[in-house]
Amino acid sequence: MGTTEQINTYTRIPPFIEIMDSTLRDGEQTNGVSFLPHEKLMIAKMLLSGIDVDRVEVASARVSEGEKDAVTMICRYASKIGKLRKVEVLGFVDGTISVDWIASCGCKVMNLLAKGSLKHCNGQLNKTVKEHIRDIEGVLEYAGQQGIDVNLYLEDWSNGMKDNPEYVYEMLDSLTTKNVKRFMLTDTLGVLNPLQVVEYMRKMVKRYPNTHFDFHAHNDYDLAVSNSLAAALSGAKGLHVTVNGLGERCGNAPLASVQVILKDQFHAKTSIREERLNDISRLVEGYSGIAIAPNQPIVGENVFTQVAGVHADGDNKANLYSNALVPERFGRKREYALGKTSGRANIDKNLRELGLELTAEQTLKVTQRITELGDRKKFVTQEDLPYIVSDVLKHNVPEEKVRLVSYMVSSAYGLKPVASVKVEINGNQYEAEAMGDGQYDAFVKALRKIYKNSLNRTFPILANYSVSIPPGGRTDALVQTVITWRNADKVIKTRGLDADQTESAIKATLKMLNIFEDINT
């Protein structure tokens, strides 16, 4: 019997695991994150229609008018696509107040926050368990009258099971007979380990076999993914996640990681469309302002990049350094880094992708130059490679089809920056002016005018923009700007280096335009 079969024999993993995404509620409790209503709508649209999560928790009741606007817009959209009952809002044991707030937004599902530990019940509410149950029952009855479905959170359930399991059982003994669709068991403070999750979840499933349990993990001990998996293996029918692992303190279980482990390691069924995971990750990264770590599994910038030359050599010969997490599965592609540990195999891979053919001796010279650059901590991209080849082999530098003739950017306190740009494109000169929210934004808007009005062509979309400055505090330090661009299905990354940040970004932009000009001619 195989490992997976053994695990399924001794556990109670359901045939299908519901995925509830809480990016817009619990994820927004990340320090410094606050989504605007239209941003919430765009994220919810992709989660519901692009990623196909089973449910999405979009807000807490009674927070603000802006929150109410967001929930109303999301519910309106969900209703149009027949998924209104997949939208959920956190509510409180406050009589009729939360129910009325949720109903006024057009929402049909409330996730009612109750106390899952005696310590919370006594210490925060100053009530007995019977008093708390009575209050919950009042909210459940009123919600039913308003046509609102209710899922029940047991906040701090983890400590409840550790310290006073009889409290948890008294709550469930009373409330499993009521109109509650799901009981959502939370490790609010992230204190559990997988063995404890297995123990406690099995006790819940054994005692209440006909009840739907969700598990809600927090990542304080870096165990959110492991604990979520343990919960599923022990009978939980639903797991809560957030995009990029956003959430209070150390965050929640990341959607992408939970999905691939469930599918690959335990053959669990979910509804998630994996090819869109990178898209939702980047969308949330942009709106939240929380950068994804380059080594974040599945969605990190570097996770499909081979750095060591021996890995590229192994891939060339027998695809030796690949596993089930192939990049194409997630709408991405494998890359081979250029640096001091690249080796000839990495460089061969990049040269072939660019259509450049070099002799063994020429490749060796290019490899040596890239190694020298790596030793000096220079960042080398595939787009730099033709210039390095030309420099090393004393060829002519690739022809500049797009050349910056002149530009001027001005900024003044209280006024938007203005840019005046003159460029030469395929021998013809064009000029334009534009205002922007910053100097570089004004520069790019002027370029967009030229491409739209003079050339009747689209201008590539800026997909990602990062700036790095060496530590040390010097005001004259070189700034490295790395910009990712997208034009139709083509994505490239260009780099600019200059003591001036705007000039650095402009250099990266001119590189990009020349590359796209080569592609389009």
Side-chain angles (χ1 to χ4, degrees):
M1 185 181 290
T3 303
T4 302
E5 291 171 327
Q6 289 174 333
I7 289 170
N8 287 341
T9 297
Y10 299 117
T11 60
R12 302 185 59 175
I13 186 167
F16 180 85
I17 302 293
E18 274 189 3
I19 301 296
M20 191 274 267
D21 186 279
S22 187
T23 304
L24 298 177
R25 198 278 300 173
D26 209 347
E28 197 179 28
Q29 292 175 198
T30 305
N31 185 32
V33 173
S34 179
F35 297 118
L36 297 172
H38 79 274
E39 293 173 339
K40 282 202 165 195
L41 177 62
M42 296 305 295
I43 293 170
K45 279 185 174 183
M46 186 175 287
L47 287 169
L48 290 170
S49 300
I51 306 299
D52 283 354
V53 295
D54 298 288
R55 297 145 52 204
V56 57
E57 189 176 43
V58 300
S60 298
R62 302 164 31 196
V63 169
S64 68
E65 285 303 310
E67 198 80 333
K68 194 169 189 177
D69 290 342
V71 176
T72 302
M73 288 192 296
I74 292 168
C75 289
R76 190 180 301 127
Y77 167 75
S79 181
K80 287 180 181 178
I81 63 172
K83 295 184 177 182
L84 181 57
R85 296 277 174 180
K86 292 177 177 286
V87 177
E88 303 172 2
V89 172
L90 182 76
F92 307 96
V93 183
D94 55 10
T96 64
I97 300 173
S98 286
V99 174
D100 287 342
W101 193 96
I102 291 167
S104 70
C105 298
C107 185
K108 296 296 183 182
V109 182
M110 175 171 67
N111 293 339
L112 181 59
L113 187 67
K115 300 303 181 182
S117 70
L118 180 62
K119 184 177 181 180
H120 272 226
C121 184
N122 290 344
Q124 193 167 35
L125 300 182
N126 196 26
K127 291 190 175 184
T128 66
V129 60
K130 287 182 170 49
E131 289 172 331
H132 189 34
I133 290 171
R134 187 168 61 248
D135 292 342
I136 293 169
E137 289 173 340
V139 176
L140 292 175
E141 182 179 356
Y142 185 67
Q145 294 169 0
Q146 304 305 310
I148 304 291
D149 292 338
V150 179
N151 304 312
L152 188 75
Y153 268 117
L154 287 176
E155 185 183 19
D156 201 39
W157 166 82
S158 48
N159 279 316
M161 291 299 290
K162 289 173 81 172
D163 301 333
N164 300 98
E166 62 279 1
Y167 168 86
V168 177
Y169 297 148
E170 186 171 355
M171 290 278 287
L172 269 291
D173 288 347
S174 296
L175 297 174
T176 48
T177 62
K178 305 301 178 183
N179 189 26
V180 177
K181 293 196 68 173
R182 302 173 184 87
F183 286 84
M184 307 196 294
L185 311 178
T186 66
D187 184 13
T188 304
L189 301 177
V191 297
L192 295 182
N193 64 53
L195 294 178
Q196 291 170 313
V197 173
V198 169
E199 177 189 352
Y200 300 153
M201 186 61 69
R202 283 179 175 175
K203 286 181 178 178
M204 300 298 287
V205 172
K206 183 178 180 180
R207 188 177 177 109
Y208 309 102
N210 299 317
T211 301
H212 178 118
F213 291 115
D214 282 1
F215 182 70
H216 182 102
H218 276 264
N219 205 36
D220 296 69
Y221 281 94
D222 203 18
L223 289 171
V225 174
S226 299
N227 286 342
S228 295
L229 176 62
L233 292 172
S234 304
K237 295 179 180 178
L239 297 176
H240 295 186
V241 298
T242 60
V243 178
N244 300 337
L246 293 182
E248 195 144 21
R249 303 185 313 278
C250 302
N252 295 27
L255 164 62
S257 297
V258 168
Q259 163 62 24
V260 298
I261 292 175
L262 284 174
K263 180 177 180 180
D264 291 7
Q265 304 293 339
F266 297 96
H267 308 294
K269 301 293 184 184
T270 71
S271 59
I272 301 301
R273 292 175 57 190
E274 293 181 335
E275 70 275 13
R276 300 299 304 277
L277 287 174
N278 193 56
D279 294 336
I280 188 66
S281 179
R282 298 300 162 187
L283 181 68
V284 170
E285 179 185 40
Y287 285 154
S288 69
I290 304 295
I292 303 167
N295 62 339
Q296 176 83 8
I298 316 305
V299 296
E301 183 73 18
N302 295 345
V303 296
F304 298 117
T305 300
Q306 302 280 32
V307 175
V310 66
H311 293 169
D313 181 63
D315 283 346
N316 275 337
K317 291 175 178 174
N319 209 31
L320 298 178
Y321 292 91
S322 296
N323 56 24
L325 299 174
V326 293
E328 291 77 14
R329 175 176 164 187
F330 308 104
R332 301 181 64 182
K333 68 174 187 174
R334 193 169 302 285
E335 297 179 359
Y336 295 87
L338 298 169
K340 65 181 180 180
T341 62
S342 300
R344 286 180 55 181
N346 271 23
I347 292 164
D348 276 337
K349 284 267 192 183
N350 282 279
L351 289 170
R352 283 202 302 274
E353 190 165 329
L354 290 170
L356 298 173
E357 295 184 12
L358 302 183
T359 67
E361 182 182 356
Q362 290 172 328
T363 302
L364 179 60
K365 289 181 179 179
V366 172
T367 302
Q368 290 170 340
R369 175 59 60 85
I370 290 173
T371 301
E372 291 170 8
L373 290 169
D375 277 335
R376 302 205 306 267
K377 290 193 174 182
K378 297 291 186 181
F379 177 73
V380 180
T381 72
Q382 191 184 71
E383 284 69 38
D384 295 320
L385 198 50
Y387 296 89
I388 293 171
V389 170
S390 298
D391 181 45
V392 170
L393 303 182
K394 309 306 179 187
H395 290 168
N396 291 328
V397 174
E399 178 189 0
E400 281 191 317
K401 296 183 178 180
V402 181
R403 187 173 64 86
L404 184 62
V405 178
S406 63
Y407 80 92
M408 182 188 72
V409 291
S410 63
S411 61
Y413 181 75
L415 299 175
K416 281 194 170 187
V418 177
S420 178
V421 177
K422 180 187 286 188
V423 291
E424 184 179 289
I425 304 173
N426 294 319
N428 298 312
Q429 291 193 1
Y430 306 92
E431 293 183 54
E433 290 186 356
M435 287 192 302
D437 291 327
Q439 292 182 340
Y440 179 65
D441 183 49
F443 178 86
V444 171
K445 284 180 176 175
L447 281 178
R448 288 187 186 279
K449 274 190 180 180
I450 291 171
Y451 272 74
K452 180 180 180 181
N453 299 335
S454 301
L455 301 176
N456 195 28
R457 286 168 53 187
T458 59
F459 192 89
I461 296 170
L462 192 154
N464 197 27
Y465 181 107
S466 67
V467 175
S468 60
I469 302 172
R474 287 176 49 193
T475 57
D476 62 347
L478 286 175
V479 177
Q480 179 173 268
T481 305
V482 181
I483 309 179
T484 304
W485 307 88
R486 186 187 302 273
N487 191 33
D489 59 348
K490 181 67 176 177
V491 176
I492 66 166
K493 184 185 295 181
T494 54
R495 174 181 65 97
L497 194 67
D498 197 271
D500 181 88
Q501 183 174 327
T502 301
E503 183 70 23
S504 173
I506 287 172
K507 286 180 177 178
T509 305
L510 267 291
K511 269 189 188 180
M512 173 273 295
L513 291 175
N514 274 286
I515 291 167
F516 277 121
E517 203 63 40
D518 282 335
I519 294 170
N520 294 324
T521 55

